[in-house]
Amino acid sequence: MREIVEWNQRKEVDWLKYTIQPPLGFIAGDYYRAEKEFGGAGDVRGHMGRLEVVCSQGKILFVEFNETAMEAYYNQYFTGKDKRRSDYGIWQSSKERLREGGVVLADGMLHVEAQILERQSLEGEFQVLTGASGSMKNMLPMASEIAVQMKEPSPKKYFGIAEDFGYGITGWLQVVVEDGNIISCHYDEVFGDHQADIRFPELKRYYKQSKYHSPCYQDPFPRGWDRHVWNINFKTLMDLLEKRVIETQDLLNIDGLPYLDGENQGVMWDTDQPFADPIRNGGPVRYPSYDNYLYLAGKLKKEMEDSPLWKGGAGHGKD
């Protein structure tokens, strides 16, 4: 009998198996994406499923299903929210049916993705997990749609890099280029799958979530402060960063963004102990995720410049 854990008490649910971690290292290739809406009623829009695939020289390198909850979802906390890297899976674990089955939606996504990567094909029938099959059955047609797309090289090229920073946070930068121009630049910081992986005590509650997609995420106070100094949340700041990169076509140009100037305290969430510095509250503090972003962006920029895909090189789709 699995333990009943109230999802909003932030105690870790120890039977959850799924991972939210991105593939570590550098990935580049043709980028394919499909979306499918389902579950709506009348004028109410439904859930939005999506499937992203990256392949190079006929090899599938990356595949990920995801789903955004409908705007009229009965649990308003999750309306319009990402189901994979929010605390949706933790909430699902509080339901008796799913608890007894030992699986949630994210398990179902990973199960089909593993089959695609093993087969190196999006065609044919896929086994779905009992107890996590509802959304997956609705999303599987997207695999066939992308299988057709992959018969030709994609005009969109994907460059991604992920690195485990070593203290329970993984940085993940994904860039999509079309005709040599950056059309998207998404940076996220992904927490560990288990609370034990996350060193800073105030962040342990965000296990199996990412900063961008967690509906309840807030940064802890910086050293020496007894109040919030960043009134703009991580998601909004990263959206502003993406807008700046697209405008300038420069991954390293983040001039003028909020909380860019001020005291640079370096990596802030890599400690096992709460901050104990005396309260200063004397001036602005630089937002620490900018430094993490620039670190990965510098690495990714070099990889992109060395890649024939950067300027739309041919021959990188499925043969």
Side-chain angles (χ1 to χ4, degrees):
M1 183 70 178
R2 292 186 172 86
E3 179 186 7
I4 300 175
V5 177
E6 293 295 331
W7 72 281
N8 55 0
Q9 290 181 358
R10 308 304 172 186
K11 177 182 177 182
E12 181 168 351
V13 181
D14 59 10
W15 60 264
L16 286 173
K17 301 182 294 294
Y18 70 89
T19 179
I20 66 163
Q21 299 306 307
L24 297 179
F26 174 70
I27 292 177
D30 280 15
Y31 176 70
Y32 301 92
R33 178 185 176 112
E35 294 184 336
K36 182 177 185 292
E37 183 181 328
F38 55 91
D43 294 333
V44 177
R45 298 288 302 272
H47 306 294
M48 183 60 70
R50 69 176 178 273
L51 174 59
E52 296 173 285
V53 176
V54 179
C55 67
S56 178
Q57 300 290 0
K59 182 176 181 180
I60 298 174
L61 305 177
F62 173 74
V63 54
E64 183 171 289
F65 287 93
N66 208 336
E67 183 184 337
T68 301
M70 61 194 300
E71 292 293 340
Y73 198 53
Y74 70 93
N75 184 339
Q76 293 183 187
Y77 178 81
F78 291 110
T79 58
K81 298 297 188 297
D82 177 283
K83 290 188 176 183
R84 184 147 181 167
R85 292 185 175 87
S86 68
D87 44 353
Y88 183 82
I90 300 170
W91 171 65
Q92 281 191 306
S93 73
S94 67
K95 297 178 176 294
E96 182 177 359
R97 173 180 63 85
L98 297 172
R99 189 169 64 249
E100 290 179 352
V103 296
V104 296
L105 174 59
D107 292 302
M109 294 175 178
L110 287 161
H111 185 65
V112 176
E113 291 162 8
Q115 294 172 66
I116 292 172
L117 289 172
E118 182 179 1
R119 290 188 203 173
Q120 284 295 300
S121 174
L122 287 98
E123 298 178 309
E125 298 295 322
F126 295 95
Q127 181 190 55
V128 294
L129 287 181
T130 302
S133 62
S135 287
M136 287 311 304
K137 288 179 179 177
N138 283 303
M139 289 194 284
L140 280 177
M142 294 187 294
S144 299
E145 180 180 341
I146 288 185
V148 174
Q149 295 178 23
M150 287 174 57
K151 296 183 183 301
E152 299 292 337
S154 173
K156 296 179 180 179
K157 312 301 178 183
Y158 174 98
F159 300 89
I161 188 169
E163 183 170 324
D164 182 350
F165 293 147
Y167 46 91
I169 296 177
T170 296
W172 190 17
L173 176 59
Q174 302 175 89
V175 173
V176 178
V177 173
E178 186 172 14
D179 296 328
N181 295 313
I182 297 171
I183 61 172
S184 73
C185 174
H186 180 69
Y187 179 68
D188 199 356
E189 293 187 348
V190 180
F191 290 106
D193 290 329
H194 302 285
Q195 292 183 348
D197 301 332
I198 303 168
R199 292 186 186 172
F200 190 64
E202 292 180 38
L203 297 178
K204 289 180 180 293
R205 63 181 294 183
Y206 303 114
Y207 78 102
K208 289 189 185 296
Q209 300 168 66
S210 78
K211 291 185 180 182
Y212 190 90
H213 292 294
S214 172
C216 62
Y217 177 71
Q218 59 177 313
D219 289 297
F221 303 152
R223 292 181 176 90
W225 286 73
D226 62 354
R227 68 198 71 176
H228 281 290
V229 296
W230 307 302
N231 292 322
I232 303 176
N233 62 51
F234 176 90
K235 181 178 185 298
T236 301
L237 289 174
M238 295 307 105
D239 286 343
L240 291 171
L241 186 153
E242 178 180 46
K243 181 180 178 183
R244 175 58 50 83
V245 168
I246 292 173
E247 287 174 347
T248 64
Q249 291 296 300
D250 184 351
L251 288 173
L252 303 181
N253 184 349
I254 62 172
D255 294 345
L257 294 182
Y259 314 128
L260 191 63
D261 299 321
E263 182 180 0
N264 189 337
Q265 301 189 15
V267 176
M268 299 183 65
W269 319 133
D270 62 345
T271 174
D272 293 304
Q273 301 298 324
F275 300 142
D277 291 357
I279 296 173
R280 294 188 298 270
N281 294 355
V285 179
R286 177 182 172 90
Y287 193 62
S289 291
Y290 288 142
D291 294 315
N292 291 342
Y293 165 78
L294 290 172
Y295 166 72
L296 287 183
K299 286 188 170 185
L300 189 65
K301 182 177 181 181
K302 183 178 186 307
E303 295 282 0
M304 291 171 67
E305 290 173 344
D306 291 341
S307 171
L309 291 173
W310 169 240
K311 297 301 179 182
H316 291 266
K318 188 171 180 65
D319 295 335

